[in-house]
Amino acid sequence: MDKQYKNKEELRSHYVAEADRLSAEIRQLKKNNKVYIASELMTFGLAIVSVVLSCVRDFAGEWLMAALSMLAVYVVVRRADVKNSRRIDRRMRLRTVYEKELKYLSGDFSCFGGGSRYIDPSHAFTFDMDVYGHDSLFNRINRTVTTGGSDMLASWLGCLLKDKAVVERRREAVDELAAGEQWRVDFMATGQGGAATDRGKNKSIDTAAIMRAVGDVGSMNIDSKAGQTWTLAVAGVAVCCFLLLVILSVAGIVPAGVTALWGVVQMFVVIGLNSRSVRDISRAVEKLHANLHVYIRLIRHIDSAAFAADELKELQAGLAQGDGGALKSFGELSKILDSLGRRSNFIWLILFNMFTLSDYFLVRRFLKWQRLYMQSVTGWTDCVSRIDALVSMATFRYNEPEAAEAEVVEAGRVVYEARGLYHPFLGEKAVRNDFTINDGEYYIITGANMAGKSTFLRSVGVNYILAMSGMPVFADSLRVSVFNLFSSMRTSDDLSRGISYFNAELLRLKQLLDNCRRADRTLIILDEILKGTNSLDKLNGSRLFLQAVAELPVTGIIATHDLELSKMEDEYPGRFHNWCFEIELADNVTYTYKITPGVARNQNATFLLKGIL
């Protein structure tokens, strides 16, 4: 288990130290790289000189031995150079991960995908709660390296868990991954799709492209003869006969021309019989080339972990299901890709088809892969996507050491008890509030403009989303039950469809009512009901709406500027409650951002307007 940090300053120091350490290692490895290159040039040059001297001196044995020795040293140095380059690449990827986390701690989320494609104004709560888009909750959490992981994370934030046991199981997985910082960093570094020098660019592995390519592979009708036993027997006999002819030709028993003719005929027969199948396989499989090798490294990294959390162990076991599991399956597909790549070498194509019938065995391997693994690929990619999403959530958990774990309770009612609640986007400047929501009760919140009403409503909603996703919450403590969440805070007109602002409000409220009628228990969060009409009509309509919704199994928080709405506390004592964000008016406006019982007395619109006139 890696060290856990108490606050963001300690964490920032850790990230800086890791980035500096990796930078120092990269500089040293690059110096080594220069030495390797110089050594390669020198040994290769000495090998050439030795060959020349050997020729000049009638192929003297000592110079031939010197040439062979220099070539051997060259090969060793070259291999060391390749390994050194890989070390540089890995450390650059790791450093990029730490540099991105430092940007996160400084409030710069531009290097993480914001998930704008997931924005849905009709969703029950994500649009109002800034779950997706620039500077959103998703933008802060997202560290996914696959598009499948991004989609999974987005779906989890938009479809909250409905069972306490499942929430705790998810939280256990997140906590374990959060504690394993090095494994997470390695995962994110491994999954970076672009070059390590492309800092700040988030090039995800395209899971959808992999699935499309695999789907194309699965739907291909390859001639099945290559997969049958009798063709394998024929191929084996043909290879053995050719090798026998080669041996007999070397021994002088069979003319070399006969052996050559056999080999040429064998090559053309193999290529001719399999050319169409190989072409179809190449067309389908090469679509995977950009993503497959990195995807295999991710699976290998997951396979190497010793997980303890049940959800992580099940996902890891899911990747091992099937004949050899995902690692073997994608490894075989990678080998097929490599074989297809080698076919572009004309000499390889001729010699290997002549001696080993390579095209035949390529088609045979592909048919075997298609038969054994096709049905399991969807499940495997789903496991990788889930782990990818969990890594993002765990990184968020690790980056917020001052956040707390919510207590989820089993209750057939709405429970929401918060102490020191604040909005996660505000950071250190946030003002914390205590607030308790009782089942079936309604809280009318009044206050001046910019006093903190909308931010508080979003604090309630966002922290509930985090709690029911198994992530930390931004409060001293938060105790909640399982219930549905629906909000109406941000409505806009749609002129292209002839929908006015007021009509859009009505449609949203109808959606809210339909949702609440279907659900068991719902917390609704409303900011200014019926803003698109005049004051008296707005008051009457708001009262009518709240009276109707109060007949349903619904609990609500409603922010309003309409002080008359606060009289519902007198009409429905014990059911409606007044709370407010008060301001102080003197030479300047003082905002406390603290919620207190009662009705707001001071408003600031006229005061502020006088200041600009």
Side-chain angles (χ1 to χ4, degrees), residues 98 100 183 320 334 362 365 409 460 462 467 475 509 565 578 584 589 604:
Y98 285 115
K100 287 182 177 180
W183 190 91
S334 179
L362 174 62
R365 282 161 55 200
V409 299
V460 171
V462 168
L509 293 177
L565 200 60
N578 289 324
E584 296 178 9
V589 182
N604 61 357

Side-chain angles (χ1 to χ4, degrees), residues 224-490:
S224 62
K225 290 188 181 66
Q228 296 174 4
T229 305
W230 69 269
T231 60
L232 179 62
V234 171
V237 170
V239 171
C240 290
C241 288
F242 182 61
L243 291 176
L244 179 61
L245 285 172
V246 170
I247 294 170
L248 293 175
S249 295
V250 172
I253 300 173
V254 174
V258 173
T259 303
L261 180 62
W262 180 289
V264 171
V265 171
Q266 183 165 279
M267 176 196 69
F268 279 114
V269 169
V270 171
I271 292 176
L273 290 176
N274 296 283
S275 61
R276 182 176 178 180
S277 296
V278 170
R279 186 171 61 251
D280 291 343
I281 293 169
S282 179
R283 190 180 300 117
V285 175
E286 283 184 352
K287 296 176 184 177
L288 294 165
H289 195 273
N291 297 297
L292 189 60
H293 295 304
V294 179
Y295 206 68
I296 291 170
R297 290 200 294 268
L298 275 183
I299 294 171
R300 188 176 291 118
H301 187 63
I302 295 168
D303 186 65
S304 69
F307 293 131
D310 289 341
E311 185 164 357
L312 294 174
K313 288 193 293 186
E314 286 185 13
L315 291 172
Q316 192 178 48
L319 286 171
Q321 288 180 352
D323 188 353
L327 193 57
K328 182 178 178 181
S329 165
F330 286 111
E332 288 295 323
L333 201 55
S334 179
K335 291 177 183 177
I336 292 172
L337 263 174
D338 292 340
S339 296
L340 288 168
R342 286 192 293 268
R343 288 187 84 255
S344 61
N345 186 313
F346 186 69
I347 296 175
W348 189 95
L349 180 66
I350 292 173
L351 292 179
F352 277 81
N353 271 305
M354 187 180 292
F355 282 92
T356 65
L357 313 185
S358 60
D359 277 8
Y360 163 78
F361 283 104
L362 174 62
V363 175
R364 184 177 177 84
R365 282 161 55 200
F366 176 79
L367 287 169
K368 181 181 178 181
W369 187 92
Q370 195 180 44
R371 184 181 74 255
L372 292 178
Y373 302 118
M374 266 304 302
Q375 302 303 317
S376 302
V377 171
T378 301
W380 291 333
T381 54
D382 183 70
C383 289
V384 174
S385 297
R386 287 175 177 272
I387 291 175
D388 192 14
L390 287 169
V391 166
S392 287
M393 295 162 73
T395 303
F396 182 74
R397 176 75 182 94
Y398 186 76
N399 280 339
E400 300 293 342
E402 297 174 11
E405 288 191 353
E407 178 188 356
V408 180
V409 299
E410 291 181 345
R413 55 191 175 84
V414 171
V415 174
Y416 197 108
E417 300 171 2
R419 298 292 176 270
L421 184 77
Y422 62 102
H423 198 291
F425 295 7
L426 296 179
E428 296 177 355
K429 64 181 180 180
V431 175
R432 304 184 180 218
N433 281 289
D434 298 344
F435 199 70
T436 298
I437 301 171
N438 295 318
D439 185 66
E441 298 184 8
Y442 293 83
Y443 302 83
I444 308 295
I445 300 176
T446 53
N449 296 292
M450 303 182 294
K453 300 187 301 299
S454 298
T455 299
F456 176 74
L457 297 186
R458 290 192 172 94
S459 299
V460 171
V462 168
N463 279 292
Y464 186 70
I465 293 168
L466 290 170
M468 300 312 293
S469 299
M471 284 187 286
V473 295
F474 292 78
D476 296 334
S477 67
L478 180 63
R479 183 171 180 266
V480 295
S481 63
V482 178
F483 51 80
N484 294 290
L485 179 66
F486 200 102
S487 64
S488 180
M489 299 181 64
R490 183 183 287 140

